[in-house]
Amino acid sequence: MEYITLNNSVEMPILGYGTYQTPSRITEQCVADALRVGYRSIDTAQCYGNEHEVGIACRKSGIPRSELFITTKLWACHGYQNALRSIDSSLKKIGMDYIDLLLIHEPTGNVHEIYRAMETAYKDGKLRAIGISNFLDNRYLDLVNHCKVIPAVNQVETHVFRQQKKLRQLECQIGTKHESWSPLACGQNDIFKNNLLLEIAGNHGKSVAQIALRFLLQQGIVVIPKSIHIERMKENFAALDFDLEADEMREMEQLEIGKSLFD
């Protein structure tokens, strides 16, 4: 596993396992499979409804807690006290003494007060790192200008068709790591039939998914691909074991379309 170092010196795996839209009835098995493959970072959220199952799978795995990196996200919070209660609720559902990374899921509600609650929980040792999700340039800057703890991570739609270069440059200047949700674009825009990606995949003897993931990983972007199939989990994990050529990276940069695939 490769790691990135967050702005508070916490190390985070650069490749994680996502659980978005994974039904709670199969989450425990899927996370258990991912852990067996070698994943150590698991991404969940309050609104996914599977925090409890993620926690069960992690505890049953026998892997030391110190080797796991658990991310979850606050949802539908409205202020400071509400957010504090919501953090404690996630800790209880996951069944752990601390969460490695807590994010505000999206910029709704009183984000300054919600983030202030996260800062309190961070100082109390309940959270190892705090950050945000779906905060684009203006909302990101607004929060940065009002917070005491700079967000460690910003998790945003990022893939070969939506590369977020401007936002990533801004985050780099301030000290926030960029994390991609939907690194394979959820299969949209015919990503798996793209001629350039197919050509590069053929050159390396890899799949299009591995090429698309490697493009992000090679730029230091954290990725959390999701699959319920263990063979796909293994395939995605293998994106760590090769490098793309500089000219291939430049060619893939031209796939940017300048807009979200998910509105």
Side-chain angles (χ1 to χ4, degrees), residues 8-128:
N8 63 352
S9 298
V10 167
E11 290 194 333
M12 177 181 185
I14 198 168
L15 174 64
Y17 177 70
T19 63
Y20 174 59
Q21 290 187 331
T22 302
S24 58
R25 60 183 172 78
I26 63 171
T27 295
E28 182 183 338
Q29 183 60 55
C30 289
V31 172
D33 287 343
L35 293 172
R36 279 193 291 272
V37 168
Y39 293 86
R40 291 296 178 266
S41 175
I42 308 296
D43 181 276
T44 182
Q46 291 179 345
C47 72
Y48 298 173
N50 57 19
E51 288 178 312
H52 179 64
E53 289 75 17
V54 165
I56 291 174
C58 289
R59 291 193 301 275
K60 284 185 176 181
S61 72
I63 298 169
R65 176 66 182 91
S66 60
E67 296 180 16
L68 298 173
F69 193 98
I70 309 301
T71 298
T72 193
K73 310 173 198 75
L74 296 181
W75 181 258
C77 295
H78 306 290
Y80 181 82
Q81 292 296 336
N82 178 250
L84 285 178
R85 290 190 294 270
S86 192
I87 292 167
D88 286 340
S89 175
S90 280
L91 283 165
K92 184 175 180 180
K93 287 180 180 178
I94 295 172
M96 296 180 179
D97 295 330
Y98 64 88
I99 293 165
D100 296 280
L101 176 63
L102 181 70
L103 309 177
I104 298 179
H105 205 139
E106 58 182 26
T108 58
N110 189 333
V111 295
H112 297 153
E113 287 298 295
I114 295 168
Y115 197 79
R116 189 166 69 87
M118 292 166 61
E119 290 176 325
T120 296
Y122 171 65
K123 292 174 183 177
D124 289 343
K126 295 179 180 180
L127 313 171
R128 295 183 68 218

Side-chain angles (χ1 to χ4, degrees), residues 2-257:
E2 299 174 16
Y3 292 81
I4 61 163
T5 302
L6 303 181
N7 58 20
N8 63 352
S9 298
V10 167
E11 290 194 333
M12 177 181 185
I14 198 168
L15 174 64
Y17 177 70
T19 63
Y20 174 59
Q21 290 187 331
T22 302
S24 58
R25 60 183 172 78
I26 63 171
T27 295
E28 182 183 338
Q29 183 60 55
C30 289
V31 172
D33 287 343
L35 293 172
R36 279 193 291 272
V37 168
Y39 293 86
R40 291 296 178 266
S41 175
I42 308 296
D43 181 276
T44 182
Q46 291 179 345
C47 72
Y48 298 173
N50 57 19
E51 288 178 312
H52 179 64
E53 289 75 17
V54 165
I56 291 174
C58 289
R59 291 193 301 275
K60 284 185 176 181
S61 72
I63 298 169
R65 176 66 182 91
S66 60
E67 296 180 16
L68 298 173
F69 193 98
I70 309 301
T71 298
T72 193
K73 310 173 198 75
L74 296 181
W75 181 258
C77 295
H78 306 290
Y80 181 82
Q81 292 296 336
N82 178 250
L84 285 178
R85 290 190 294 270
S86 192
I87 292 167
D88 286 340
S89 175
S90 280
L91 283 165
K92 184 175 180 180
K93 287 180 180 178
I94 295 172
M96 296 180 179
D97 295 330
Y98 64 88
I99 293 165
D100 296 280
L101 176 63
L102 181 70
L103 309 177
I104 298 179
H105 205 139
E106 58 182 26
T108 58
N110 189 333
V111 295
H112 297 153
E113 287 298 295
I114 295 168
Y115 197 79
R116 189 166 69 87
M118 292 166 61
E119 290 176 325
T120 296
Y122 171 65
K123 292 174 183 177
D124 289 343
K126 295 179 180 180
L127 313 171
R128 295 183 68 218
I130 58 177
I132 49 183
S133 178
N134 298 305
F135 279 62
L136 300 182
D137 303 48
N138 291 338
R139 296 308 299 267
Y140 170 63
L141 279 175
D142 175 67
L143 181 66
V144 166
N145 288 329
H146 289 87
C147 69
K148 294 180 180 178
V149 178
I150 296 297
V153 169
N154 188 11
Q155 186 185 111
V156 180
E157 176 196 350
T158 312
H159 42 74
V160 293
F161 304 121
R162 183 68 166 142
Q163 297 174 26
Q164 304 287 3
K165 287 185 180 180
K166 181 181 176 183
L167 177 60
R168 288 193 284 122
Q169 290 172 353
L170 183 62
E171 292 165 344
C172 184
Q173 293 171 5
I174 293 171
T176 300
K177 293 295 185 181
H178 193 87
E179 182 175 12
S180 158
W181 61 255
S182 194
L184 299 176
C186 285
Q188 299 295 308
N189 208 34
D190 284 333
I191 186 172
F192 299 116
K193 298 178 182 178
N194 183 274
N195 289 333
L196 175 61
L197 298 181
L198 285 167
E199 179 183 348
I200 296 174
N203 292 341
H204 291 270
K206 296 290 184 178
S207 68
V208 166
Q210 290 168 328
I211 297 301
L213 290 174
R214 188 65 213 171
F215 175 73
L216 302 177
L217 291 167
Q218 209 156 307
Q219 298 179 76
I221 299 171
V222 179
V223 297
I224 46 170
K226 171 250 177 175
S227 177
I228 63 173
H229 304 291
I230 192 167
E231 292 306 316
R232 291 282 176 82
M233 295 178 196
K234 292 177 180 178
E235 177 185 333
N236 293 338
F237 196 79
L240 292 169
D241 68 6
F242 72 103
D243 289 307
L244 294 168
E245 300 294 336
D247 61 335
E248 293 172 329
M249 294 288 289
R250 286 192 294 269
E251 288 180 302
M252 291 175 69
E253 287 176 1
Q254 303 310 309
L255 294 175
E256 170 71 57
I257 63 174

